Amino acid sequence: MTKNFKNWLINNGYKLFTGNNQPSTVFDYLTGVRYVCQWEGKTIDELAESISDVLPKYIDGGEYFVRGRMKSRAVRCGLRQFNKFVMESQAA
């Protein structure tokens, strides 16, 4: 599922590398989602199944918002995009 999410991000205009050839948004979002998997004790497939319950905990005012801020906005934005990816995958 990680590979499909990575491809989905790229197909939606997110970049793999910056102009200086440094890892960019795709890597940040994948890393953010991996952190949440670790924090929640879930695989990425399990996270996909429970994303509607997990996402609010890391968004502004959520239970773990502070934890999400510690890892920058990549956690919050990565989870939001992962949620969109999961919803689009289920609709297909």
Side-chain angles (χ1 to χ4, degrees):
M1 181 171 286
T2 302
K3 185 177 179 180
N4 291 339
F5 180 46
K6 177 182 175 182
N7 290 334
W8 181 87
L9 288 169
I10 293 167
N11 290 335
N12 281 281
Y14 293 96
K15 301 292 181 198
L16 281 170
F17 298 100
T18 65
N20 296 334
N21 207 29
Q22 298 295 313
S24 191
T25 309
V26 171
F27 292 105
D28 290 343
Y29 287 4
L30 287 171
T31 301
V33 169
R34 285 185 188 122
Y35 275 123
V36 173
C37 286
Q38 290 175 0
W39 294 334
E40 295 291 322
K42 297 179 182 288
T43 65
I44 195 159
D45 292 319
E46 292 169 337
L47 181 64
E49 291 175 10
S50 62
I51 190 67
S52 60
D53 295 326
V54 173
L55 179 63
K57 294 195 292 189
Y58 292 88
I59 303 301
D60 296 341
E63 179 181 353
Y64 296 115
F65 174 65
V66 173
R67 180 187 290 175
R69 269 184 75 161
M70 289 180 353
K71 299 298 178 187
S72 81
R73 66 183 189 94
V75 169
R76 294 185 312 277
C77 294
L79 277 179
R80 284 185 181 114
Q81 294 308 314
F82 186 67
N83 183 49
K84 288 180 186 178
F85 162 72
V86 169
M87 294 302 169
E88 285 184 19
S89 298
Q90 290 175 349

